[in-house]
PDB file of all heavy atoms in Angstrom:
ATOM      1  N   CYS A 115      33.153  11.482  -1.701  1.00 94.00           N
ATOM      2  CA  CYS A 115      32.258  12.638  -1.824  1.00 94.00           C
ATOM      3  C   CYS A 115      32.743  13.539  -2.984  1.00 94.00           C
ATOM      4  O   CYS A 115      33.906  13.986  -2.966  1.00 94.00           O
ATOM      5  CB  CYS A 115      32.176  13.383  -0.538  1.00 94.00           C
ATOM      6  SG  CYS A 115      31.223  14.919  -0.689  1.00 94.00           S
ATOM      7  N   LEU A 117      31.768  16.421  -3.647  1.00 96.00           N
ATOM      8  CA  LEU A 117      31.657  17.848  -3.224  1.00 96.00           C
ATOM      9  C   LEU A 117      32.842  18.361  -2.426  1.00 96.00           C
ATOM     10  O   LEU A 117      33.257  19.456  -2.456  1.00 96.00           O
ATOM     11  CB  LEU A 117      30.382  18.079  -2.508  1.00 96.00           C
ATOM     12  CG  LEU A 117      29.067  17.685  -3.120  1.00 96.00           C
ATOM     13  CD1 LEU A 117      27.857  17.761  -2.214  1.00 96.00           C
ATOM     14  CD2 LEU A 117      28.774  18.426  -4.453  1.00 96.00           C
ATOM     15  N   CYS A 118      33.446  17.390  -1.654  1.00 95.00           N
ATOM     16  CA  CYS A 118      34.552  17.803  -0.771  1.00 95.00           C
ATOM     17  C   CYS A 118      35.764  16.798  -0.779  1.00 95.00           C
ATOM     18  O   CYS A 118      36.826  17.098  -0.282  1.00 95.00           O
ATOM     19  CB  CYS A 118      34.112  17.965   0.603  1.00 95.00           C
ATOM     20  SG  CYS A 118      33.820  16.414   1.505  1.00 95.00           S
ATOM     21  N   GLU A 120      35.817  13.803   0.743  1.00 92.00           N
ATOM     22  CA  GLU A 120      35.696  12.824   1.843  1.00 92.00           C
ATOM     23  C   GLU A 120      35.634  11.406   1.346  1.00 92.00           C
ATOM     24  O   GLU A 120      34.983  11.109   0.284  1.00 92.00           O
ATOM     25  CB  GLU A 120      34.491  13.184   2.691  1.00 92.00           C
ATOM     26  CG  GLU A 120      33.844  12.139   3.480  1.00 92.00           C
ATOM     27  CD  GLU A 120      34.605  11.671   4.725  1.00 92.00           C
ATOM     28  OE1 GLU A 120      35.328  12.503   5.306  1.00 92.00           O
ATOM     29  OE2 GLU A 120      34.542  10.437   5.023  1.00 92.00           O
ATOM     30  N   HIS A 127      26.603  12.188   5.327  1.00 96.00           N
ATOM     31  CA  HIS A 127      27.682  13.139   4.952  1.00 96.00           C
ATOM     32  C   HIS A 127      27.160  14.141   4.027  1.00 96.00           C
ATOM     33  O   HIS A 127      27.429  15.416   4.209  1.00 96.00           O
ATOM     34  CB  HIS A 127      28.868  12.413   4.356  1.00 96.00           C
ATOM     35  CG  HIS A 127      29.895  13.276   3.819  1.00 96.00           C
ATOM     36  ND1 HIS A 127      30.782  13.914   4.642  1.00 96.00           N
ATOM     37  CD2 HIS A 127      30.138  13.776   2.582  1.00 96.00           C
ATOM     38  CE1 HIS A 127      31.552  14.692   3.950  1.00 96.00           C
ATOM     39  NE2 HIS A 127      31.171  14.673   2.617  1.00 96.00           N
ATOM     40  N   CYS A 132      28.895  17.304   5.071  1.00 97.00           N
ATOM     41  CA  CYS A 132      29.841  17.746   4.087  1.00 97.00           C
ATOM     42  C   CYS A 132      30.009  19.289   4.194  1.00 97.00           C
ATOM     43  O   CYS A 132      29.055  20.008   4.183  1.00 97.00           O
ATOM     44  CB  CYS A 132      29.368  17.371   2.704  1.00 97.00           C
ATOM     45  SG  CYS A 132      30.308  17.965   1.349  1.00 97.00           S
ATOM     46  N   PRO A 133      31.322  19.798   4.239  1.00 97.00           N
ATOM     47  CA  PRO A 133      31.473  21.295   4.263  1.00 97.00           C
ATOM     48  C   PRO A 133      30.801  22.006   3.262  1.00 97.00           C
ATOM     49  O   PRO A 133      30.202  23.094   3.456  1.00 97.00           O
ATOM     50  CB  PRO A 133      32.986  21.421   4.243  1.00 97.00           C
ATOM     51  CG  PRO A 133      33.556  20.123   4.495  1.00 97.00           C
ATOM     52  CD  PRO A 133      32.601  19.062   4.171  1.00 97.00           C
TER      53      PRO A 133
HETATM   54 ZN1  LIG Q 301      31.617  16.036   1.112  1.00 71.24          ZN
END
Side-chain angles (χ1 to χ4, degrees):
C115 174
L117 305 172
C118 77
E120 153 73 32
H127 172 79
C132 174

